[in-house]
Amino acid sequence: MNLPPPYLPFTLPLEGDEEELERLKLKIERDRGFNCSFYKDKCLRRRIAVRMRARGQRSFADYASLLDREPAEYDHLLDTLTINVTKFFRNIETWHAVEQQVLPPLFATPGPLKVWSAGSASGEEAYTVSILMREWAEKHHRRGDADRVRVVGTDIDRKSLENAARGSYPDLSLTETPPHIRQRWFSPGPPYCIRPEAQKNVSFVRRDLISERAEGGQNLIFCRNVVIYFDREIQERLFKDFYDALVPGGFLVMGKVETLVGVARTLFRSVNNRERIFQKPA
Ligand SMILES: C[S@@+](CC[C@H](N)C(=O)[O-])C[C@H]1O[C@@H](n2cnc3c(N)ncnc32)[C@H](O)[C@@H]1O
């Protein structure tokens, strides 16, 4: 029977084949500079299996040969490995908590305000902060304060960063965006383009959270839906890195999905347990 690839009746390599998997991981790092060794094996296997199934490959070795024959497959593989799904105002309750518990003390701080969206994917999170801060400043008759804010979105995935810099989005990216925000901050679409006023203080840079140190002097860091794929040891190091990168009184927003682990747990003060918002003591 000639079944199309997605329905091939074979068992996906969710366990076993350790050596072949190791060889494939090294190959991906050598060819594309993507270091797989810090990601949980279970996640990697599941993700690689998605591509193997899509391409009808039965073993890691066969899939490695396919990558040699068709280097374009790497783009699909890296897309799948980095899982860059995101939305504007994703988990709206987190943004309500940020608006109520983070922005007032933040805007009370004098001078420039540095905001970092770590693992920003195609930029929705970084632009959401920018929009939220502008809305807050307008509502409190402090419009000029929004110009003190600089938001930097970083990600390992170049394609996502290119999309982020373009600032143009399909319907799906805005399904959680309140209608008045959509009207005020986006051009009519699709595609929906961010208004230049909310875009001008936002930039995007490629940075690998695993191998590169964080830039210091941050007032607010968002890192949501990123570290779940990292080993615990890496998570611990990263959270300590965030702690060091924040100014005293600065905030870390993790959202509901992930939990603070390691020494950082004892260093931060919890601001909102449910939304996992933490503050570095002043
Ligand atoms: C699911 S998205 C999260 C986007 C956004 N923070 C949100 O919550 O909607 C995860 C992002 O983490 C990025 N990522 C994965 N590993 C990374 C690494 N080592 N360094 C930087 N970014 C990474 C992926 O490329 C992807 O864009």
Side-chain angles (χ1 to χ4, degrees):
M1 192 165 44
N2 207 2
L3 291 166
Y7 303 103
L8 277 173
F10 64 82
T11 317
L12 294 170
L14 295 180
E15 50 194 33
D17 302 330
E18 300 297 339
E19 276 178 30
E20 275 191 27
L21 176 63
E22 279 314 306
R23 269 198 291 273
L24 180 59
K25 281 159 69 173
L26 286 173
K27 176 179 170 49
I28 295 170
E29 182 172 5
R30 200 177 51 237
D31 292 352
R32 286 299 173 106
F34 184 88
N35 191 339
C36 300
S37 59
F38 297 119
Y39 292 79
K40 291 177 187 154
D41 260 4
K42 220 166 123 191
C43 289
L44 274 180
R45 282 175 179 274
R46 215 179 293 131
R47 303 266 131 214
I48 294 172
V50 167
R51 289 309 308 161
M52 288 173 61
R53 183 180 267 274
R55 300 304 311 272
Q57 303 300 303
R58 287 163 188 265
S59 70
F60 291 130
D62 287 349
Y63 186 62
S65 308
L66 176 85
L67 287 168
D68 281 334
R69 285 195 310 278
E70 288 182 39
E73 170 61 19
Y74 263 122
D75 294 339
H76 298 292
L77 175 64
L78 293 184
D79 263 2
T80 309
L81 288 180
T82 54
I83 322 172
N84 33 33
V85 178
T86 182
K87 271 178 199 301
F88 287 95
F89 291 88
R90 182 179 194 177
N91 298 120
I92 192 91
E93 320 81 55
T94 308
W95 295 102
H96 286 146
V98 169
E99 185 184 4
Q100 283 157 21
Q101 295 179 282
V102 176
L103 298 196
L106 203 69
F107 276 114
T109 313
L113 294 172
K114 266 174 93 165
V115 183
W116 176 21
S117 161
S120 58
S122 36
E124 287 86 333
E125 185 177 78
Y127 289 127
T128 300
V129 198
S130 167
I131 291 171
L132 193 75
M133 288 182 139
R134 287 196 175 270
E135 285 270 311
W136 191 94
E138 275 182 19
K139 194 164 134 193
H140 293 84
H141 312 290
R142 295 171 58 170
R143 215 176 173 152
D145 271 358
D147 291 327
R148 294 200 278 134
V149 180
R150 290 281 165 273
V151 184
V152 177
T154 67
D155 204 282
I156 196 170
D157 183 37
R158 286 187 201 284
K159 217 165 78 195
S160 292
L161 291 167
E162 281 166 22
N163 290 337
R166 217 171 290 129
S168 156
Y169 294 93
D171 261 325
L172 207 61
S173 296
L174 281 98
T175 52
E176 292 188 39
T177 306
H180 72 280
I181 300 267
R182 194 189 267 235
Q183 225 173 16
R184 166 80 174 84
W185 296 101
F186 294 85
S187 71
Y192 299 91
C193 297
I194 305 279
R195 299 261 181 228
E197 195 190 348
Q199 201 175 19
K200 68 181 182 192
N201 61 329
V202 183
S203 57
F204 295 94
V205 181
R206 185 179 186 274
R207 185 174 300 148
D208 182 347
L209 288 171
I210 291 171
S211 61
E212 291 170 80
R213 291 298 306 269
E215 193 185 295
Q218 306 288 342
N219 298 89
L220 172 59
I221 299 176
F222 285 82
C223 188
R224 303 186 309 151
N225 307 298
V226 178
V227 302
I228 27 172
Y229 314 111
F230 296 174
D231 268 355
R232 186 180 164 116
E233 201 185 310
I234 297 296
Q235 293 188 9
E236 290 187 11
R237 206 184 66 201
L238 191 62
F239 295 141
K240 175 63 171 56
D241 211 25
F242 287 156
Y243 180 84
D244 293 338
L246 283 167
V247 298
F251 294 88
L252 169 66
V253 179
M254 294 180 60
K256 290 195 241 303
V257 178
E258 292 141 326
T259 319
L260 202 57
V261 290
V263 68
R265 274 177 80 91
T266 61
L267 299 174
F268 280 106
R269 175 183 93 79
S270 174
V271 172
N272 184 320
N273 281 331
R274 206 176 132 78
E275 303 303 331
R276 311 244 162 79
I277 300 178
F278 303 93
Q279 185 175 29
K280 178 171 175 169

